[in-house]
């Protein structure tokens, strides 16, 4: 009986690992009414859905505080040129204070299921990018969140710097301008490209990436037909603003 249960557990694990997983883009914010992108509330919503991961964008303020914000500016204020004591008075659309990366990690740790997919945003020069990487990795390590966090970036320098400082970290490249073999040769773990790269621009890359053992992810899929096509093609992960809708399929 134990042997049968063990075999069943193994088969279930294999089946689940083969399924396309969902990542909530900037958290699950597209609710009714909408909450704010990259807010703590959007992370909590993603955790309630129990999707694979919740994506967030990390920037560094003047003075070196890591904050969660997609754009270079918040309410017209440039994040990288503003001290956090001045940034923290800025509010998100749902009334929340701009979150720190530390506060996001604190909330992220409350879920053992939903991973944090941390996008480190490109900075004005490689030195600032390297500082951003060092601070982010240290904070994740201090919070003992290494197994709950994965990294993505449009900056190839950031991707390489993460792997240099922590070879065990899972890192995916976003920009869509590197072939799977180039990414593999750089020691980066996967490609997280806009879905049109795989569907139109480079239709062979998805299969090439899978054959090379790379993680495959796509952004940002908000159309059910596109999602179903990508699932049929065997993409590993789909990043979406509508994880609640795509979970139905």
């Amino acid at each position: 009986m134990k042997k049968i249960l063990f075999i069943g557990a193994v088969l279930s694990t294999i089946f689940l690992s083969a399924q396309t997983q969902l990542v909530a883009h900037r958290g699950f914010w597209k609710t009714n009414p909408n909450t704010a992108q990259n807010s703590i509330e959007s992370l909590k919503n993603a955790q309630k859905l129990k999707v694979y991961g919740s994506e967030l964008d990390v920037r560094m303020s003047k003075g070196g505080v890591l904050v969660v914000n997609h754009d270079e500016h918040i309410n017209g204020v440039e994040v990288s040129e503003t001290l956090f004591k001045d940034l923290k008075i800025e509010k998100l659309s749902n009334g929340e204070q701009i979150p720190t990366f530390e506060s996001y990690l604190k909330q992220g740790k409350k879920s053992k299921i939903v991973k944090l997919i941390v996008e480190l945003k490109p900075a004005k020069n490689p030195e600032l990018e390297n500082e951003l990487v060092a601070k982010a990795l240290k904070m994740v390590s201090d919070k003992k969140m290494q197994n709950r966090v994965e990294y993505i970036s449009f900056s190839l320098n950031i991707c390489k710097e993460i792997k240099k400082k922590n070879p065990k970290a899972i890192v995916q490249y976003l920009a869509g301008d590197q072939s799977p073999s180039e990414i593999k040769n750089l020691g980066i773990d996967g490609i997280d490209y806009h879905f049109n790269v795989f569907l139109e621009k480079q239709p062979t890359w998805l299969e090439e990436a899978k054959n090379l053992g790379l993680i495959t992810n796509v952004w940002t899929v908000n159309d059910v037909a596109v999602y179903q096509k990508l699932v049929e093609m065997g993409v590993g992960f789909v990043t979406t603003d509508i994880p609640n809708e795509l979970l139905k399929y």
Side-chain angles (χ1 to χ4, degrees), residues 142-159:
D142 289 347
K143 298 290 185 185
K144 296 180 171 56
M145 290 278 287
Q146 296 97 319
N147 294 331
R148 304 302 310 151
V149 171
E150 298 177 10
Y151 301 91
I152 57 178
S153 185
F154 280 94
S155 165
L156 203 55
N157 173 64
I158 286 176
C159 291

Side-chain angles (χ1 to χ4, degrees), residues 8-43:
V10 170
L11 289 174
S12 295
T13 300
I14 293 171
F15 176 77
L16 287 171
S17 65
Q19 303 306 296
T20 300
Q21 302 280 348
L22 293 177
V23 175
H25 184 230
R26 305 176 196 169
F28 177 36
W29 59 272
K30 205 171 181 61
T31 53
N32 186 20
N34 287 351
T35 187
Q37 299 179 19
N38 278 319
S39 63
I40 297 293
E41 191 64 28
S42 71
L43 172 57

Side-chain angles (χ1 to χ4, degrees), residues 38 56-59 66-70 92 98-101 104:
N38 278 319
L56 60 142
D57 303 287
V58 177
R59 294 184 178 275
L66 303 192
V67 297
V68 179
N69 197 67
H70 177 267
L92 305 182
I98 182 173
T100 61
F101 184 43
Y104 236 80

Side-chain angles (χ1 to χ4, degrees), residues 124-152:
K124 294 182 177 179
N125 56 60
E127 291 73 26
L128 287 172
E129 290 186 345
N130 294 349
E131 182 182 352
L132 171 62
V133 168
K135 288 178 179 291
L137 290 176
K138 183 178 187 305
M139 194 171 291
V140 169
S141 177
D142 289 347
K143 298 290 185 185
K144 296 180 171 56
M145 290 278 287
Q146 296 97 319
N147 294 331
R148 304 302 310 151
V149 171
E150 298 177 10
Y151 301 91
I152 57 178

Side-chain angles (χ1 to χ4, degrees), residues 210-222:
K210 290 192 295 179
N211 290 338
L212 289 169
L214 294 173
I215 298 167
T216 57
N217 197 342
V218 291
W219 54 268
T220 300
V221 180
N222 295 326

